């Protein structure tokens, strides 16, 4: 009776075990290596459980524990239900590859079914990066963000290479363990005959990472050479829930300029302020030069004639009629339509302001997914202060050009820095430097802002670009092309830092060709689904004819 009871609960224990291992391995935990064991309980679950409902429930439990354990902070806002909804929904979506794996496993051999799992999971991650419900925070390859020395080869593969590595190690360890159970061979014999396979899959990427990192360093000019630029990064530490208050803009601007003057000098090439540092309530783009804030900034910049200011802002664009307005535009009282943008501006002493619009928007806050088809959903937007509802996605400039220094830079705004291929596309357009401007204070002093910082290290490796990161409440820092942090500032403290960085002109394999692993997985996934449909139809036809 006790044995039957233990078997009944074993699938659920496997689900819990997998979820806890995934949570324990995730940044900023020091137990990263647990990721190489985290999927083994689910692999065994797929063999152990025949009942579809129980299998789904156990997999969903694992995904839910993972989501809640690592991203519970999404609900640490003025709208806690948003976090509950995000975690519950994302966990549900993440069960899809495992359900596909179960269906394939019933029809094909272990090797083919494991290949299908890899293809399905990589395809899921790729889709989750590119649709409007996008939430790639838990892309498996992100797990190595705290250990850039392990994944220097991301300059070839991006994070999908890390996902592939994790899945291969889990599958090879599980199949090795299964052979011992099946053939009942001594452990020493198993290690000698089969153990080298998972060991090789585990160790070889470490060796590749070391050699890739050494090769990159040997190819670089001496640090601080003649092409280096002086960059000042400001962390004003303004409470995000107060910054949209009436009359707060002037005080915030004074604080930003005061901190800037502490570090800027005649050699400064760039000054970087955080997301929505200007115009929290919005300013018309065709009237930016007339804004008192812009005029005050230009007065300050005359002290630093070579400097360009990169700053976040909320900007507005007017459309005369509905025909020229995009779907995200909102009606005005008898005066056409307008769009609101989360924007990065490049301001200097000239009258030319370069405008970049954020295009990777946060679902539920800056973007109501597919609301152009279901307009009533716009009222569901979360109010985090400032402008609510879907922001505009009409493009501004692709990169910010500095004609004085003859370089281009790309200002990723907050959430955009999670998207490796998106950042790589803009580097391919000529960006020699990367800026990240963000406002991570919405979720308080939780793992959210720390994870966001760590993920940025992977963008540096993928593109081999220096990153200057300005975070309103922290953590502001510089990140080297090897993914190392320099001068990270404490959270919830005002700060200003300066460093000399060297713009790059060469392209990594990943920048040139993008995420080939995920694209290949997508093609295989489509072919596998077509083959499964044909096989099911053929078997059904044979069954009918046989009866």
């Amino acid at each position: 009776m006790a044995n039957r009871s233990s078997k009944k609960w074993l699938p659920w224990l496997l689900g819990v075990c997998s979820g806890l291992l995934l949570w324990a391995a995730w940044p900023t935990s020091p137990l990263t290596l647990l990721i190489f064991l985290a999927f083994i309980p689910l692999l065994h679950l797929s063999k152990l459980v025949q009942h579809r409902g129980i299998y789904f429930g156990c997999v969903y439990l694992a995904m839910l524990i993972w989501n809640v354990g690592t991203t519970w902070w999404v609900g640490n806002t003025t709208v806690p239900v948003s976090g509950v909804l995000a975690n519950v929904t994302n966990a549900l979506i993440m069960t899809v590859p495992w359900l596909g794996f179960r269906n394939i496993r019933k029809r094909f051999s272990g090797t083919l079914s494991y290949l299908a799992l890899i293809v399905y999971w990589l395809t899921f991650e790729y889709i989750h990066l590119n649709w409007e419900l996008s939430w790639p925070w838990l892309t498996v390859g992100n797990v190595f963000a705290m250990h850039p020395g392990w994944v220097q080869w991301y300059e070839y593969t991006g994070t999908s290479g890390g996902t592939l590595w994790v899945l291969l190690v889990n599958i090879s360890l599980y199949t090795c363990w299964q052979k011992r159970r099946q053939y009942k061979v001594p452990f020493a014999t198993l290690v000698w005959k089969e153990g080298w396979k998972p060991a090789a899959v585990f160790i070889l990427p470490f060796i590749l990472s070391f050699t890739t990192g050494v090769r990159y360093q040997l190819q670089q000019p001496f640090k601080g050479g003649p092409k280096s630029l002086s960059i000042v990064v400001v962390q004003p530490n303004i409470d995000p829930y107060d910054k949209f208050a009436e009359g707060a803009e002037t005080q915030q601007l004074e604080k930003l300029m005061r901190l800037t003057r502490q570090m800027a000098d005649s050699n400064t090439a760039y000054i970087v302020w955080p997301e929505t540092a200007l115009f929290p309530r919005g300013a018309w783009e065709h009237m930016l030069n007339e804004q008192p804030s812009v005029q005050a900034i230009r007065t300050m910049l005359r002290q630093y004639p070579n400097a360009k200011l990169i700053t976040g802002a909320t900007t507005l664009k007017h459309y005369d009629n509905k025909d020229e307005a995009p779907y995200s535009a909102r009606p005005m009282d008898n005066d056409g339509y307008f769009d609101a943008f989360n924007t990065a501006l490049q301001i200097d002493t000239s009258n030319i302001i370069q405008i970049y619009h954020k295009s990777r928007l946060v679902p539920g806050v800056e973007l109501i997914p597919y609301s152009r088809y279901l307009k009533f959903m716009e009222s569901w937007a979360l109010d985090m202060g400032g402008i609510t509802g879907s922001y505009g996605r009409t493009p501004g400039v692709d990169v910010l050009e500095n004609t004085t220094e003859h370089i281009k830079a790309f200002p990723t705004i907050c959430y955009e820095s999670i998207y490796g291929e998106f950042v790589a596309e803009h580097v391919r357009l000529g960006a020699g430097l990367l800026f990240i401007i963000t406002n991570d204070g919405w979720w308080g002093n939780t793992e959210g802002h720390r994870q966001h910082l760590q993920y940025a290290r992977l963008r540096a490796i993928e593109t081999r670009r220096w990153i200057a990161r300005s975070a309103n409440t922290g953590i502001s820092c510089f990140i080297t092309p090897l993914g190392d942090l320099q001068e990270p500032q404490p959270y919830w403290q005002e700060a200003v830092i300066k460093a000399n960085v060297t713009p790059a002109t060469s392209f990594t394999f990943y920048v040139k060709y993008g995420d080939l692993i995920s694209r290949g997985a997508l093609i295989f996934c489509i072919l596998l689904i077509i083959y499964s449909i044909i096989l099911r139809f053929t078997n059904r036809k044979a069954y009918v004819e046989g009866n």
Side-chain angles (χ1 to χ4, degrees):
M1 192 72 171
N3 187 43
R4 182 181 299 178
S5 178
S6 63
K7 287 184 177 180
K8 178 181 177 181
W9 287 104
L10 180 58
W12 300 98
L13 290 174
L14 289 171
V16 170
C17 182
S18 184
L20 290 176
L21 286 170
L22 288 162
W23 162 70
W26 211 253
T28 53
S29 164
L31 304 176
T32 309
L33 289 175
L34 290 178
I35 197 67
F36 294 110
L37 304 174
F39 289 113
I40 290 177
L42 293 185
L43 293 172
H44 192 53
L45 182 72
S46 302
K47 181 179 180 179
L48 188 68
V49 176
Q50 301 301 318
H51 191 280
R52 182 181 300 177
I54 294 176
Y55 176 79
F56 166 76
C58 295
V59 171
Y60 180 71
L61 178 61
M63 298 298 106
L64 185 62
I65 292 172
W66 182 16
N67 275 266
V68 173
T70 53
T71 60
W72 62 268
W73 47 265
V74 176
N76 192 40
T77 66
T78 54
V79 192
V81 69
S82 63
V84 176
L85 183 61
N87 284 305
V88 168
T89 303
N90 200 56
L92 181 63
I93 296 171
M94 295 174 85
T95 64
V96 173
W98 289 95
L99 296 176
F101 169 57
R102 178 183 179 275
N103 290 334
I104 288 292
R105 188 180 176 88
K106 292 191 299 183
R107 296 182 177 86
F108 300 106
S109 64
T111 301
L112 184 57
S113 65
Y114 293 138
L115 174 62
L117 173 61
I118 293 172
V119 166
Y120 287 159
W121 188 270
L122 285 168
T123 300
F124 150 72
E125 288 193 344
Y126 188 67
I127 292 172
H128 214 23
L129 278 162
N130 290 288
W131 66 333
E132 290 190 6
L133 276 170
S134 180
W135 178 245
W137 207 268
L138 298 185
T139 296
V140 174
N142 288 342
V143 74
F144 303 114
M146 291 181 64
H147 305 282
W150 297 4
V151 289
Q152 290 297 313
W153 41 268
Y154 272 20
E155 70 166 83
Y156 298 103
T157 69
T159 54
S160 60
T163 298
L164 179 61
W165 183 25
V166 169
L167 292 173
L168 286 174
V169 173
N170 275 271
I171 290 169
S172 59
L173 283 172
Y174 178 68
T175 53
C176 185
W177 175 65
Q178 282 293 101
K179 286 182 179 179
R180 186 194 177 199
R181 294 188 66 201
Q182 182 178 355
Y183 300 114
K184 298 180 180 179
V185 296
F187 180 75
T189 304
L190 179 73
V191 171
W192 176 255
K193 290 187 175 182
E194 297 291 337
W196 65 271
K197 297 177 184 178
V201 174
F202 175 70
I203 293 172
L204 286 177
F206 285 104
I207 298 173
L208 178 61
S209 182
F210 175 76
T211 57
T212 302
V214 170
R215 176 193 56 77
Y216 172 77
Q217 292 179 76
L218 292 175
Q219 292 176 345
Q220 300 313 299
F222 182 77
K223 181 180 177 182
K227 293 183 179 179
S228 64
L229 300 176
S230 177
I231 298 180
V232 172
V233 171
V234 176
Q235 177 176 304
N237 193 39
I238 298 166
D239 191 321
Y241 292 101
D242 294 338
K243 70 180 300 178
F244 299 99
E246 192 74 36
E249 184 176 351
T250 302
Q251 296 177 0
Q252 294 167 15
L253 179 63
E254 291 174 353
K255 185 175 189 179
L256 286 160
M257 293 196 296
R258 172 177 59 80
L259 290 169
T260 299
R261 291 188 181 101
Q262 292 178 15
M263 284 286 185
D265 57 34
S266 59
N267 295 318
T268 301
Y270 283 106
I271 300 163
V272 189
W273 291 357
E275 180 185 17
T276 61
L278 296 182
F279 321 130
R281 293 179 170 271
W284 295 108
E285 290 187 354
H286 65 284
M287 300 175 64
L288 289 179
N289 282 316
E290 301 171 22
Q291 293 292 324
S293 297
V294 171
Q295 294 171 4
I297 288 168
R298 286 207 174 105
T299 300
M300 178 191 72
L301 289 177
R302 291 191 184 99
Q303 304 172 53
Y304 321 111
N306 297 317
K308 309 285 185 183
L309 173 69
I310 309 297
T311 180
T314 304
T315 61
L316 310 172
K317 189 173 183 178
H318 180 264
Y319 304 94
D320 290 328
N321 55 68
K322 190 173 183 180
D323 291 335
E324 68 178 48
Y327 74 89
S328 57
R330 311 138 194 258
M332 299 178 65
D333 294 336
N334 302 316
D335 192 22
Y337 296 80
F338 79 98
D339 237 344
F341 298 95
N342 192 340
T343 300
L345 303 176
Q346 179 174 287
I347 304 174
D348 56 22
T349 54
S350 73
N351 286 326
I352 299 173
I353 298 178
Q354 296 183 39
I355 302 172
Y356 167 78
H357 293 152
K358 181 180 182 182
S359 61
R360 297 286 180 152
L361 303 175
V362 181
V365 179
E366 298 174 318
L367 172 69
I368 303 302
Y370 304 106
S371 61
R372 58 187 174 278
Y373 307 115
L374 302 168
K375 202 67 178 176
F376 70 90
M377 292 176 60
E378 283 291 346
S379 61
W380 298 3
L382 302 180
D383 186 357
M384 304 286 282
I387 295 173
T388 61
S390 290
Y391 277 63
R393 304 176 79 178
T394 307
V397 299
D398 292 314
V399 291
L400 303 177
E401 294 193 47
N402 186 332
T403 55
T404 303
E405 302 291 347
H406 305 290
I407 63 168
K408 298 177 181 178
F410 177 50
T412 58
I413 303 176
C414 189
Y415 189 59
E416 291 182 321
S417 65
I418 312 173
Y419 294 85
E421 195 168 26
F422 172 76
V423 174
E425 288 172 2
H426 288 81
V427 171
R428 196 157 57 243
L429 294 173
L433 288 173
L434 297 178
F435 300 123
I436 296 177
I437 57 175
T438 186
N439 187 8
D440 292 340
W442 301 109
W443 296 278
N445 192 12
T446 64
E447 289 304 303
H449 76 86
R450 287 185 280 271
Q451 291 169 354
H452 195 196
L453 166 68
Q454 298 300 328
Y455 294 164
R457 305 171 78 173
L458 303 179
R459 303 294 83 79
I461 296 170
E462 291 164 350
T463 61
R464 296 302 185 193
R465 295 296 190 265
W466 273 91
I467 295 175
R469 186 176 196 269
S470 174
N472 173 28
T473 56
I475 299 172
S476 300
C477 65
F478 294 94
I479 305 176
T480 75
L482 289 168
D484 298 322
L485 300 180
Q486 290 192 354
E487 298 191 62
Q489 298 303 297
Y491 182 76
W492 209 258
Q493 291 184 24
E494 68 175 49
V496 56
I497 52 177
K498 179 167 68 173
N500 291 327
V501 307
T502 305
T505 56
S506 61
F507 292 162
T508 65
F509 183 90
Y510 183 73
V511 168
K512 286 181 181 178
Y513 303 107
D515 189 356
L516 294 181
I517 291 177
S518 293
R519 293 177 195 167
L522 179 61
I523 293 171
F524 275 109
C525 181
I526 293 170
L527 294 174
L528 194 57
I529 291 173
I530 292 173
Y531 178 66
S532 298
I533 293 172
I534 293 173
L535 190 64
R536 178 176 293 185
F537 177 77
T538 304
N539 291 342
R540 184 176 297 174
K541 184 177 180 181
Y543 175 80
V544 171
E545 291 176 352
N547 287 275

